[in-house]
Amino acid sequence: MPITQSREVTAAKRLDNVRYAIRDLACVADEVVKQGHKVLPLNVGDPLNFDFQTPPHIIDAVHKAMRDGKNGYAPSPGVPEALDAIRGEAVRKGISTVQDVFVTSGVSETVDLCISALVDPGENILTPSPDYPLYSAVLSKLGIGLNAYDLSEDDAWQPELADIERKITPRTRGIVLINPNNPTGSLCSRQMLEQIAELARRHNLVVFSDEIYDKLILEDTPHIAFASVAPDVPCVPFGGMSKNYLVPGWRIGWGMVSGEAAAVKSYTEGIHRLLRARLCANHPEQYAIPPALEGPQDHLIDVRRKLRSRRDLTQQWCEATPRVSCVAPRGAFYAFPRIDIPESDEVFVKELIRQKHVMVVHGSGFGQKPGTQHFRIVFLPEEKTLAKAYAGIADFIRERYR
């Protein structure tokens, strides 16, 4: 008889804290779907699930690249045309000290590569709370403990500078800034960016500036790139095609390294070792970057118009609904309402799926201050669909928490 292995093959212990709340709710939704119900997904930020369409000239560019034979491996950093377009975009954003540019398989890969190239075991980086859960997942994968700083709900979800400074240790290597923020929709002021820059200078920190939603600003206030405010501070701005150009499935993102050349040289070389190890990002899709960044931006006018209207509807519902309050989002397409309930927000969202067939994400999946309960709404659907969803949530709150 052949010998068979009977011992269980266990996952690495460092994965124990890897969670992705946005998609981890899918098993609950699957139960509801099997019962014959349709679930309204307000959990995933994919505009193409709703009434948004990819600009045709971007699709044409990729189609042409495929027909022209651009289907083999690309250079590890990215194709020259794409890299030049990204550098041009940096100039338009006022970033004057770009030392390097590279294309990745979505900003998720940018985050993974750039954190991996910086942090050794025993070191840490500061991440916002609440934050996009990718950051905590990457750190857990690397065996790096979390060092989260608070965003102040009482101050429009701005970073709490005193909390940041309190949590900087001799082993802290960097700080993550998500601006506009996911999940809160907040937007950093210039004064806040300048104050964070001063902390980074004083403590020799790299600033990871996640700016994936930089063209989806819902106020008259323009987006300010961190690297434009602090050209001397080592900074890694993250950007990509997914949200601004409505192609999340293409998985095309990019990173830049800015700051003084001598200060970032070794770190940049480390990033490129990792870029080479994974070969390249999607090749033909990279040819959409120049026409996206340099071509017509007309679609953004309609996108922002829709998002402002849906943001306003969402905010009005939050203000009118008992037990709910919300800091008005200023960018992206997320709201992060606070709920006054006697149970966990995770129970809240799971029961909401089961009883009203509406899927939002529990705030604890993004991190939040102890003793507070929140949930994240993706307000991408048409107003009629949102109104129906919000009516269902209001009914659920009234029925469950009389």
Side-chain angles (χ1 to χ4, degrees):
M1 293 290 291
I3 297 173
T4 60
Q5 181 174 329
S6 59
R7 288 183 303 164
E8 180 184 7
V9 179
T10 59
K13 289 292 184 184
R14 68 179 183 276
L15 302 184
D16 286 351
N17 294 319
V18 174
R19 298 285 186 274
Y20 192 71
I22 298 166
R23 290 183 182 255
D24 286 350
L25 292 170
C27 56
V28 181
D30 288 344
E31 295 173 11
V32 174
V33 170
K34 288 177 182 177
Q35 295 167 6
H37 303 291
K38 183 177 180 181
V39 173
L40 176 61
L42 301 185
N43 64 316
V44 176
D46 186 347
L48 299 184
N49 284 340
F50 306 102
D51 60 335
F52 298 87
Q53 293 184 330
T54 307
H57 70 285
I58 298 175
I59 296 173
D60 292 342
V62 174
H63 182 233
K64 182 179 186 301
M66 290 178 173
R67 294 294 296 268
D68 288 348
K70 308 295 187 181
N71 301 304
Y73 291 128
S76 292
V79 301
E81 297 92 331
L83 300 179
D84 289 345
I86 296 166
R87 287 181 179 274
E89 180 75 355
V91 170
R92 286 189 289 275
K93 295 176 71 171
I95 303 174
S96 60
T97 55
V98 174
Q99 305 300 334
D100 195 55
V101 177
F102 43 91
V103 181
T104 55
S105 296
V107 172
S108 297
E109 188 186 40
T110 325
V111 170
D112 195 339
L113 289 171
C114 294
I115 291 177
S116 297
L118 181 71
V119 187
D120 281 322
E123 297 177 333
N124 67 82
I125 63 171
L126 284 155
T127 58
S129 178
D131 80 334
Y132 183 58
L134 169 70
Y135 291 93
S136 57
V138 168
L139 291 169
S140 294
K141 184 188 75 170
L142 295 173
I144 305 295
L146 292 181
N147 188 12
Y149 67 89
D150 290 331
L151 303 181
S152 174
E153 191 169 9
D154 295 330
D155 186 25
W157 292 116
Q158 295 291 297
E160 291 190 9
L161 288 168
D163 193 51
I164 294 174
E165 190 149 26
R166 191 161 48 240
K167 289 173 176 172
I168 295 173
T169 75
R171 304 290 284 170
T172 303
R173 300 295 310 279
I175 178 170
V176 173
L177 185 67
I178 307 175
N179 181 41
N181 181 264
N182 177 6
T184 67
S186 62
L187 193 63
C188 278
S189 65
R190 174 177 287 275
Q191 181 182 16
M192 179 58 64
L193 297 178
E194 291 171 345
Q195 291 172 314
I196 291 173
E198 185 53 38
L199 282 177
R201 287 190 192 96
R202 197 184 319 153
H203 296 280
N204 195 30
L205 303 180
V206 175
V207 176
F208 297 101
S209 188
D210 187 336
E211 300 173 358
I212 187 68
Y213 300 97
D214 63 343
K215 297 182 188 296
L216 302 182
I217 307 304
L218 308 181
E219 305 291 344
D220 292 334
T221 306
H223 178 267
I224 302 170
F226 176 86
S228 71
V229 171
D232 61 306
V233 173
C235 178
V236 185
F238 302 145
M241 297 278 291
S242 293
K243 312 301 183 178
N244 293 334
Y245 296 98
L246 307 174
V247 286
W250 286 7
R251 311 311 301 134
I252 287 292
W254 54 79
M256 292 180 271
V257 180
S258 68
E260 296 179 357
V264 300
K265 182 176 184 293
S266 175
Y267 174 51
T268 301
E269 290 172 352
I271 292 173
H272 277 268
R273 285 198 292 274
L274 293 176
L275 289 168
R276 291 190 294 271
R278 60 64 154 137
L279 297 181
C280 66
N282 292 335
H283 189 180
E285 284 83 353
Q286 294 187 45
Y287 289 92
I289 295 175
L293 296 181
E294 299 167 355
Q297 307 292 305
D298 301 354
H299 74 285
L300 287 167
I301 297 171
D302 190 50
V303 168
R304 287 191 290 259
R305 178 188 60 78
K306 289 179 179 179
L307 293 181
R308 288 189 186 104
S309 175
R310 293 165 197 188
R311 185 274 311 270
D312 293 346
L313 174 64
T314 302
Q315 191 65 24
Q316 290 162 10
W317 175 81
C318 290
E319 293 172 358
T321 303
R323 295 184 177 268
V324 179
S325 60
C326 188
V327 176
R330 301 179 64 203
F333 36 67
Y334 308 106
F336 200 61
R338 184 167 180 167
I339 41 174
D340 179 15
I341 57 173
E343 59 187 349
S344 74
D345 47 35
E346 187 169 1
V347 170
F348 173 87
V349 301
K350 287 180 177 178
E351 290 304 311
L352 178 63
I353 296 170
R354 292 185 178 114
Q355 296 183 34
K356 300 298 180 181
H357 317 141
V358 176
M359 185 156 53
V360 295
V361 186
H362 45 295
S364 51
F366 300 92
Q368 58 189 356
K369 282 189 177 180
T372 67
Q373 314 284 8
H374 297 80
F375 63 99
R376 190 191 75 166
I377 295 171
V378 173
F379 54 79
L380 284 168
E382 304 89 329
E383 285 86 343
K384 182 179 179 181
T385 302
L386 281 177
K388 181 179 178 181
Y390 295 158
I393 300 173
D395 288 346
F396 175 77
I397 293 172
R398 183 177 60 255
E399 294 162 6
R400 191 170 180 87
Y401 307 114
R402 287 192 178 94

